[in-house]
Amino acid sequence: MQVKKIALLVSGRGSNLQMIIDNIEKRKINGRIDIVISSKKDAYALERAKKYNIDGIYIGKKNFPDINERNDKIIEILSEKQIDLIVLAGYMSILSEKIVQLYRNRIINIHPSLIPSFCGRGYYGEKVHKAVLDYGVNLTGAPVHFVDEGTDTGPIIIPKPVEVDFNDTIETLAKKVLEVEHQLLPLAVQLFCEDKLKVEGRKVRILGTV
Ligand code: GRF
């Protein structure tokens, strides 16, 4: 099986990027990160990429103020590098429909709450955990999903609930959810790279054994 070429899109500290790097190094993922694209110039994720000699590039509002030019630049890089899989690992920008259509069922994202609750436009970072706590639900999660034209609306690949305890704060909840993200995102990438994910309508069938 050919090694899959992966692009990681990031905006922040890149702990999920690190998990994918680690799993590639452990040979659990049959893939290679060919590019890290950051929407933030000073994202620590770019430093991490550099440390591992992975190409990293900033494509954001400052160097590409026009949203169409920004997305076209991303497409140019992805096609130049013949990317098989795009992983959104804390990417805080919205991808254009053009990218979603070009890479249908080949873009993986993670959201830090149980979709379809507390997700969609405006729900990102700590705001998600605050909304979960304010509502008082006792389950949250970190579902990995494929990206479609909506925001957090694509087919769910692997869900895993996380219990919300009475005394949880935004910080403790974010920590618990992040631990689950760190398991599920590399696992989804691993399965994709083994051609084990088959999208059937809104469901994702996992082929073979995990
Ligand atoms: C994660 O909490 C993820 O759910 C959200 O952004 C955060 C990314 O963290 N989309 P990191 O940059 O991978 O450390």
Side-chain angles (χ1 to χ4, degrees):
M1 194 180 293
Q2 279 221 319
V3 172
K4 298 278 192 289
K5 299 191 263 303
I6 306 169
L8 255 292
L9 272 58
V10 297
S11 302
R13 74 195 144 180
S15 65
N16 282 292
L17 162 69
Q18 187 67 54
M19 295 310 291
I20 294 173
I21 292 174
D22 293 350
N23 278 275
I24 289 174
E25 294 213 323
K26 284 188 221 150
R27 296 183 186 277
K28 282 195 175 169
I29 294 176
N30 180 37
R32 188 180 74 208
I33 302 173
D34 277 356
I35 186 78
V36 171
I37 299 175
S38 175
S39 67
K40 296 264 165 61
K41 200 169 182 198
D42 56 357
Y44 184 63
L46 285 174
E47 294 294 315
R48 293 191 200 253
K50 210 169 164 187
K51 219 169 107 189
Y52 291 87
N53 288 321
I54 299 169
D55 284 349
I57 183 169
Y58 160 63
I59 301 178
K61 289 185 180 159
K62 286 187 186 133
N63 54 358
F64 288 92
D66 182 271
I67 187 164
N68 295 321
E69 284 178 23
R70 197 154 67 231
N71 277 286
D72 285 347
K73 183 67 191 169
I74 294 176
I75 293 176
E76 186 190 306
I77 294 173
L78 298 175
S79 54
E80 225 173 66
K81 298 209 172 256
Q82 299 183 308
I83 291 300
D84 299 302
L85 171 68
I86 302 170
V87 180
L88 308 186
Y91 186 59
M92 305 287 259
S93 267
I94 302 279
L95 289 179
S96 68
E97 286 197 359
K98 203 165 149 190
I99 301 186
V100 174
Q101 281 156 12
L102 279 171
Y103 291 86
R104 169 93 48 214
N105 299 334
R106 293 197 290 148
I107 310 175
I108 290 177
N109 186 27
I110 194 149
H111 179 76
S113 77
L114 279 185
I115 292 171
S117 294
F118 314 111
C119 62
R121 275 183 188 261
Y123 282 104
Y124 58 86
E126 291 191 347
K127 289 184 184 186
V128 180
H129 305 301
K130 182 174 185 312
V132 164
L133 292 172
D134 286 351
Y135 197 96
V137 290
N138 51 16
L139 278 185
T140 187
V144 203
H145 57 278
F146 281 114
V147 172
D148 66 5
E149 284 81 352
T151 308
D152 306 322
T153 53
I156 293 169
I157 305 169
I158 320 167
K160 185 168 175 185
V162 173
E163 283 191 20
V164 183
D165 298 319
F166 192 88
N167 292 322
D168 264 326
T169 61
I170 292 177
E171 291 71 30
T172 59
L173 196 55
K175 189 167 177 275
K176 284 197 286 191
V177 171
L178 191 67
E179 278 167 20
V180 173
E181 287 181 29
H182 288 169
Q183 298 164 16
L184 296 190
L185 192 60
L187 177 59
V189 172
Q190 177 191 329
L191 293 170
F192 181 95
C193 292
E194 292 167 3
D195 295 325
K196 283 187 177 167
L197 299 179
K198 190 162 175 266
V199 181
E200 299 177 12
R202 287 207 43 83
K203 291 189 186 173
V204 179
R205 190 185 290 277
I206 298 179
L207 305 172
T209 47
V210 178

